[in-house]
């Protein structure tokens, strides 16, 4: 059985994952409005992936005899800049999420909950990918410049 402390911390993370899902959905809508259909598609997929993270965490909490909660999700920003600025924001946000996951792992270690540590290592690994993917797109956009932007847009549309 999961401790109440860890259960509550995981529930907070579920809320954070759902907030991330909304953040990326907001970016998706913005890109669609701006005519960047590839970026919009990529962001929608990213949003769905964040919801999958929330589901996985909720499922885990329940598997361990805890109660998973759906809490209030704060409003996300909706005014964005250039695609480069948006993806730089994605990268910063994923670095922030990595820190949240690290914090959860530290708590699981303090509680000597090995099952939860094992569960969270999967997310530590996931965050390495998330950061690298976002950084990769930022690099690509920098190299592409103004003229190559629709090439990158088309490429991300293939996600
Ligand atoms: Mg996530």
């Amino acid at each position: 059985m999961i401790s109440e402390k860890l259960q509550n911390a995981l529930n907070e993370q579920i809320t954070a994952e759902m907030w991330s899902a909304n953040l990326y959905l907001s970016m998706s809508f913005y890109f669609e409005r701006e005519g960047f259909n590839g970026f919009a598609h990529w962001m929608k997929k990213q949003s769905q992936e964040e919801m999958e993270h929330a589901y996985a965490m909720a499922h885990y909490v329940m598997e361990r005899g805890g109660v998973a909660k759906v809490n209030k999700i704060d409003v996300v920003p909706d005014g964005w800049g250039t695609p480069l600025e948006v993806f730089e924001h994605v990268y910063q946000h994923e670095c922030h999420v990595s820190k949240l996951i690290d914090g959860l792992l530290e708590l699981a270690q303090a509680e000597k909950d090995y099952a939860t540590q094992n569960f969270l290592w999967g997310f530590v690994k996931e965050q390495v990918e998330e950061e690298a993917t976002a950084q990769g797109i930022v690099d690509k956009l920098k190299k592409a410049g103004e003229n190559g932007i629709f090439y990158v847009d088309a490429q991300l549309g293939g996600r």
Side-chain angles (χ1 to χ4, degrees):
M1 179 131 185
I2 199 163
S3 73
E4 204 178 330
K5 207 170 175 183
L6 261 177
Q7 170 199 276
N8 294 345
L10 278 164
N11 272 320
E12 269 178 46
Q13 189 59 35
I14 288 169
T15 305
E17 298 293 336
M18 289 169 82
W19 190 87
S20 295
N22 283 356
L23 177 74
Y24 296 140
L25 196 59
S26 161
M27 290 172 174
S28 175
F29 292 167
Y30 171 75
F31 278 135
E32 198 171 323
R33 202 159 68 226
E34 294 285 307
F36 292 113
N37 293 331
F39 295 145
H41 170 79
W42 191 93
M43 285 296 177
K44 200 185 260 180
K45 288 260 174 188
Q46 188 70 13
S47 174
Q48 285 164 350
E49 222 183 84
E50 300 306 338
M51 284 307 293
E52 295 296 333
H53 297 162
Y55 300 152
M57 286 170 188
H59 178 69
Y60 176 76
V61 167
M62 290 186 277
E63 256 189 329
R64 296 291 311 286
V67 177
K69 283 190 178 156
V70 178
N71 270 317
K72 190 179 139 224
I73 315 294
D74 285 339
V75 73
V76 294
D78 71 349
W80 303 103
T82 64
L84 176 61
E85 283 167 342
V86 179
F87 279 97
E88 275 171 340
H89 192 105
V90 172
Y91 174 72
Q92 294 302 332
H93 181 64
E94 289 302 331
C95 290
H96 164 71
V97 173
S98 299
K99 288 207 178 84
L100 294 179
I101 299 290
D102 288 350
L104 281 172
L105 193 53
E106 279 162 26
L107 184 61
Q109 281 167 341
E111 298 267 301
K112 294 190 166 49
D113 183 332
Y114 299 106
T116 301
Q117 287 172 43
N118 182 56
F119 173 73
L120 288 168
W121 282 119
F123 283 95
V124 170
K125 202 175 153 205
E126 170 75 23
Q127 285 310 118
V128 173
E129 267 176 49
E130 298 281 30
E131 284 183 29
T133 302
Q135 184 64 64
I137 297 169
V138 166
D139 291 346
K140 211 174 268 185
L141 283 169
K142 279 183 182 164
K143 278 188 197 135
E146 195 69 14
N147 295 329
I149 205 154
F150 282 101
Y151 168 75
V152 183
D153 180 60
Q155 210 181 32
L156 265 61
R159 179 177 183 181

